[in-house]
Amino acid sequence: MVNSYITLVGPEEVIRQLAREELPDGVKLGRRQPADGFADAANAPLGPDEIRQLLELVSVAISTGTAAVVLFEKLRALLKPGQQVTVKDARNGQTLATVSPSTPAQQVAAKVVPDDGAGT
Amino acid sequence: MIPLLQFDPASLTLWCDTHLIGSSRGSREIGLALEHAIVGDDRRLRLLVDCVDDPWVQTRAANVASVAWHEKRHFLDFVLTNYGALRVRTYVEAYLNAHSLFALAERDKRILLPLDCNLDEISRELAGIQAPDERLLRVAQAVADRKQMLREDQRPIDSPHGSIQVGGEALLEAIAYHVQMAKVHRLFGVDLLRRVQEDHPGEEVVHLKYRWAWEVLIRQGLLRVDASDHDMLLMKDAPFLPLCYGALAARLWGQPQTRTGSSSSYMPGERFASLAVAVAEDHPGYGQASCEEAWDMVNQTCRRIFGRSAIEETEIDLEHEASFVDTIAKAMPGSEVAAAMTDLHGLRGRLFDLLKDDPAAVLDQSAWADRTVQRTQPLIVVAAPAGEIGEPPKGFARLSGYRHPDTDYEKEPEARWWWSALNEQWPDVADPEILCLRDRSAWTAVVSDYAPFGKLMYAGHKQRLMLGPEVLGARLRAEQAAGIELKVHSAFSHPRHVHDAGFWNFITGRDDFRCDLSSETVRKPEGYMLDAWELRLRPGLRHALLGSVENQRRMQFSLWRDWTPWLLSAEFGDYFNFFETDEASLSGPSGNR
């Protein structure tokens, strides 16, 4: 089975909770890590950066469309209003979708896993 | 945002974007103001600012000068305080591992950046890394652990005004902003102070990022706001820096911590919260104390709640650092890193002596503004993001640039350029009064090679940079030298700046610009700003641009050389977005020395 590889980038508490969830066969979650490299220079008020919320990222290998739907349903259920998680193609960094509490899981899954006949 | 000036903790250098200053309205006055502030010539600076007719240029000249003081203060605090030294040490640890990493990738000939990505099996699989060396994984784990530590320090907390940070990084910013604004007040007066405070893009961000500590301490009764002057609050600020320094005297090096239900001796955020409560209990008159009295009170309270005064905590930190420096010198005799660390430890010792003998010189904003800031002289890196054709001027050592091989530069001058250079004549490292790093040769190697590679190990390409080729070039050079591919994880492939042409209008003081593609004049608020990385991510756009000119070689050099943002009309902004991004295109001869 050919895997689809994605990177999820979102609020720390959401990614952490997702890592604790029981996920279906066909979804493999990697190791969580900060989305920030903590290597920025110090700046000044002439052009200050916003105070950023802490984001985490996690790599995911998905082998079936069905598993992808379950993953995004679980992810969507973890999001509070106003929160979102960005779904990127892990091979090239392209943004594939943004998941909010109201995003249909099947719609995201279809962008992530090409139709494999697994009954998404 | 495009940084005009910034302090790089990885090399302890102050970086200035000369091209951005040159693009500004009143660039001559602003450039001179910056120069006077850097060398510490207050008299000339005040004369210059007094003589400027254009109010916008006058405000901006004062503001840019004050940013130099802000960054100089960062230099002092990063060298002297336990927390600042930890931040610098984080990079030094990366420099120590840089050379050995390549030998550890012998099997796959490939290392994933940032290093902690090597701990993730899926990322390794995608990068084609099959069986990483255990020692490489230990270095990767060390990077992950440091990131965790820094993340906890920078974790935002809710406040009545929004999210604020209260850790070491936030304290360093609060101190630098405080001394910056206090010196503007001392040198230029209250009217220009008000104008400088208003001369930034986001009031709310500035408040949350730089003024939070005042607010916490005022609420706690540790800072007194006595009256108002011209609608501005007057604060008795002598006790401010002593309390911040008590917090920054973090207990590190794996030492046992002193913790109770209400106090912790560990990181600055915890120490700050502990001290804000305990100093108020111990010293009801703290808000009225002089700087020296306040420093004594903070030290007494630190000893009571943490078991050590801030001075003792720093003394012990210096002892640990001395052992660390000694270990490096023995492990890497004659290396630039060992020489730089020895030099840094020496400067830290001199600054600590100054803090003990004359606390006001460090902790009283007026003494800092009138005396210490002039003596504080970090190495200066001149950055030219557009690339300057030829070699740097006399007195400057090239740090990064490009020379196209097998080329006659007399006939084809545009085939050779520089992006950054280090001032070789300032500061005067032989002057014992100057608070500076003295081993220029060692620090030149740190700035040009070690620091960019250290930053790559932590953040890949995803960091706020004044100069893209700083890290891209370091990566390509390392790959060529070691025969190892340094593969950057796709989530860290380039900085995620959100540029907006409005910031260009703000920073340059101009109401229009010429579109870089069509040459048409674009008036505020129209226009589109294209980040230099975005251009490089779109090979289709590059090919289209190359196909549009007769002299493709010259255009190719121009595309490689110019790392300034492109300014476009809305129409050409749409044209740009038509081209797809390809992360793999972020390679090429952009950074060879």
Side-chain angles (χ1 to χ4, degrees):
Chain A
M1 181 64 67
V2 177
N3 281 329
S4 290
Y5 293 98
I6 56 169
T7 306
L8 300 175
V9 185
E12 184 185 63
E13 66 273 18
V14 174
I15 302 295
R16 286 183 178 195
Q17 185 58 42
L18 183 68
R20 286 194 284 266
E21 293 284 319
E22 193 175 320
L23 295 171
D25 289 344
V27 171
K28 183 178 165 192
L29 227 59
R31 179 184 177 278
R32 294 179 294 106
Q33 66 179 94
D36 197 322
F38 299 97
D40 283 347
N43 67 355
L46 200 48
D49 278 346
E50 302 280 337
I51 292 177
R52 284 170 291 185
Q53 298 303 308
L54 298 180
L55 299 178
E56 282 201 340
L57 64 87
V58 66
S59 306
V60 188
I62 306 172
S63 56
T64 68
T66 314
V69 173
V70 176
L71 168 73
F72 292 118
E73 275 172 354
K74 282 184 181 280
L75 177 61
R76 204 180 61 160
L78 296 174
L79 292 170
K80 294 178 191 149
Q83 285 185 320
Q84 58 182 37
V85 168
T86 308
V87 183
K88 291 168 176 266
D89 185 330
R91 293 178 192 275
N92 59 24
Q94 298 265 24
T95 297
L96 300 172
T98 302
V99 183
S100 70
S102 60
T103 311
Q106 291 211 348
Q107 185 183 311
V108 185
K111 290 181 180 171
V112 169
V113 182
D115 186 9
D116 63 351
T120 52
Chain B
M1 302 294 175
I2 320 168
L4 186 86
L5 278 176
Q6 64 182 21
F7 173 73
D8 183 5
S11 60
L12 295 165
T13 45
L14 201 163
W15 287 59
C16 312
D17 183 337
T18 53
H19 284 162
L20 197 51
I21 293 169
S23 304
S24 290
R25 198 165 112 201
S27 58
R28 186 175 169 277
E29 291 88 344
I30 291 169
L32 273 174
L34 175 62
E35 187 180 324
H36 294 329
I38 287 174
V39 301
D41 192 337
D42 284 354
R43 190 183 64 81
R44 284 193 178 162
L45 176 59
R46 192 160 51 192
L47 273 174
L48 172 82
V49 171
D50 282 349
C51 291
V52 175
D53 290 331
D54 180 336
W56 185 91
V57 175
Q58 188 180 48
T59 306
R60 183 54 59 87
N63 197 355
V64 167
S66 77
V67 171
W69 303 326
H70 181 112
E71 306 302 347
K72 279 182 162 198
R73 182 68 201 203
H74 277 325
F75 172 73
L76 183 143
D77 294 332
F78 269 91
V79 174
L80 173 55
T81 67
N82 295 359
Y83 173 78
L86 164 73
R87 293 291 306 278
V88 178
R89 198 159 61 245
T90 296
Y91 292 108
V92 174
E93 288 164 353
Y95 309 157
L96 296 175
N97 286 313
H99 283 301
S100 58
L101 276 181
F102 299 122
L104 302 181
E106 199 51 44
R107 197 175 321 170
D108 292 306
K109 297 282 182 197
R110 192 172 293 168
I111 296 175
L112 193 54
L113 297 174
L115 269 191
D116 49 332
C117 292
N118 291 280
L119 298 169
D120 176 36
E121 199 182 317
I122 295 176
S123 298
R124 287 202 309 262
E125 188 181 328
L126 273 172
I129 296 171
Q130 290 172 359
D133 190 294
E134 278 302 316
R135 290 165 295 176
L136 189 144
L137 291 181
R138 280 202 293 276
V139 179
Q141 186 60 54
V143 168
D145 292 345
R146 274 281 186 255
K147 279 190 181 180
Q148 179 65 26
M149 194 177 186
L150 295 173
R151 180 163 61 165
E152 290 309 319
D153 176 62
Q154 294 177 23
R155 181 176 298 285
I157 60 168
D158 290 333
S159 81
H161 307 286
S163 248
I164 58 169
Q165 291 170 332
V166 297
E169 176 101 1
L171 278 166
L172 294 175
E173 290 300 346
I175 291 172
Y177 182 77
H178 181 78
V179 297
Q180 173 192 1
M181 290 305 151
K183 183 161 169 107
V184 171
H185 191 188
R186 289 180 76 73
L187 199 64
F188 300 123
V190 71
D191 174 54
L192 210 40
L193 170 63
R194 186 204 315 271
R195 285 158 54 192
V196 166
Q197 286 189 336
E198 290 167 356
D199 184 30
H200 51 70
E203 171 67 22
E204 196 181 337
V205 176
V206 169
H207 188 83
L208 294 173
K209 199 154 181 175
Y210 301 103
R211 299 177 192 154
W212 65 271
W214 292 344
E215 200 157 299
V216 171
L217 296 183
I218 289 168
R219 284 178 181 213
Q220 199 63 20
L222 295 169
L223 284 179
R224 297 286 169 88
V225 181
D226 291 329
S228 69
D229 181 14
H230 298 84
D231 299 328
M232 298 181 87
L233 293 175
L234 280 181
M235 180 168 55
K236 180 171 170 24
D237 68 347
F240 180 61
L241 297 185
L243 202 135
C244 294
Y245 254 56
L248 287 165
R251 187 174 297 172
L252 304 166
W253 302 97
Q255 298 178 74
Q257 301 296 332
T258 304
R259 284 197 170 101
T260 67
S262 60
S263 69
S264 164
S265 59
Y266 184 37
M267 289 294 272
E270 300 162 62
R271 291 178 67 96
F272 185 79
S274 311
L275 285 170
V277 174
V279 169
E281 287 170 3
D282 290 356
H283 308 287
Y286 185 81
Q288 297 290 1
S290 69
C291 170
E292 287 88 344
E293 290 166 345
W295 184 228
D296 278 344
M297 293 174 186
V298 166
N299 275 293
Q300 286 168 26
T301 299
C302 282
R303 194 174 289 122
R304 179 178 74 77
I305 63 173
F306 303 140
R308 286 179 197 155
S309 69
I311 285 288
E312 288 162 347
E313 206 75 78
T314 310
E315 236 156 18
I316 290 168
D317 195 88
L318 270 159
E319 286 168 17
H320 282 281
E321 188 179 274
S323 303
F324 179 63
V325 171
D326 197 39
T327 305
I328 298 172
K330 283 178 182 150
M332 303 172 71
S335 73
E336 288 121 344
V337 177
M341 269 313 287
T342 303
D343 188 27
L344 174 59
H345 185 63
L347 174 60
R348 191 172 177 211
R350 291 195 297 280
L351 287 172
F352 184 53
D353 288 343
L354 182 66
L355 177 65
K356 283 190 297 185
D357 299 343
D358 181 8
V362 176
L363 300 177
D364 182 318
Q365 56 82 5
S366 58
W368 154 264
D370 295 344
R371 294 188 276 132
T372 319
V373 69
Q374 282 83 344
R375 297 171 58 200
T376 306
Q377 300 188 358
L379 295 169
I380 304 292
V381 175
V382 174
E388 285 285 340
I389 288 173
E391 295 290 343
K394 196 163 178 270
F396 286 81
R398 189 172 97 140
L399 296 171
S400 66
Y402 179 72
R403 296 185 188 108
H404 198 67
D406 307 321
T407 304
D408 181 345
Y409 302 123
E410 293 296 320
K411 287 183 183 162
E412 206 175 12
E414 66 273 17
R416 176 183 58 171
W417 63 84
W418 61 275
W419 282 302
S420 62
L422 187 77
N423 190 330
E424 292 183 300
Q425 294 168 337
W426 192 93
D428 179 3
V429 296
D431 184 343
E433 287 301 306
I434 300 301
L435 302 169
C436 67
L437 295 162
R438 302 192 187 284
D439 193 336
R440 208 188 297 271
S441 164
W443 288 100
T444 300
V446 170
V447 184
S448 64
D449 290 316
Y450 288 100
F453 194 73
K455 289 187 277 189
L456 276 168
M457 286 166 69
Y458 271 84
H461 298 152
K462 190 185 168 191
Q463 46 188 298
R464 179 159 36 76
L465 291 161
M466 189 170 278
L467 206 54
E470 184 199 356
V471 291
L472 196 55
R475 187 186 124 209
L476 296 171
R477 289 197 301 275
E479 284 181 335
Q480 284 170 7
I484 300 277
E485 184 189 357
L486 296 171
K487 191 164 177 55
V488 179
H489 187 287
S490 64
F492 296 87
S493 62
H494 60 285
R496 264 58 177 182
H497 296 311
V498 180
H499 281 321
D500 111 54
F503 184 72
W504 177 265
N505 295 129
F506 161 77
I507 203 78
T508 61
R510 300 192 186 280
D511 292 336
D512 56 39
F513 61 78
R514 288 178 75 116
C515 172
D516 282 319
L517 288 179
S518 67
S519 295
E520 69 180 289
T521 300
V522 181
R523 298 200 186 283
K524 184 178 167 183
E526 300 297 321
Y528 190 88
M529 191 154 77
L530 167 59
D531 186 82
W533 289 87
E534 292 286 343
L535 175 70
R536 284 156 177 81
L537 282 163
R538 288 172 166 77
L541 176 60
R542 277 208 314 273
H543 291 140
L545 291 171
L546 285 170
S548 68
V549 295
E550 200 168 307
N551 190 338
Q552 293 199 357
R553 185 174 161 93
R554 180 174 287 179
M555 181 56 133
Q556 182 68 275
F557 286 140
S558 180
L559 291 173
W560 286 346
R561 188 178 65 238
D562 190 352
W563 277 83
T564 55
W566 282 34
L567 295 157
L568 306 176
S569 64
E571 181 191 348
F572 277 88
D574 292 342
Y575 174 69
F576 149 76
N577 278 316
F578 170 76
F579 295 95
E580 286 190 2
T581 58
D582 177 4
E583 312 266 336
S585 68
L586 279 177
S587 58
S590 305
N592 298 16
R593 291 185 71 194

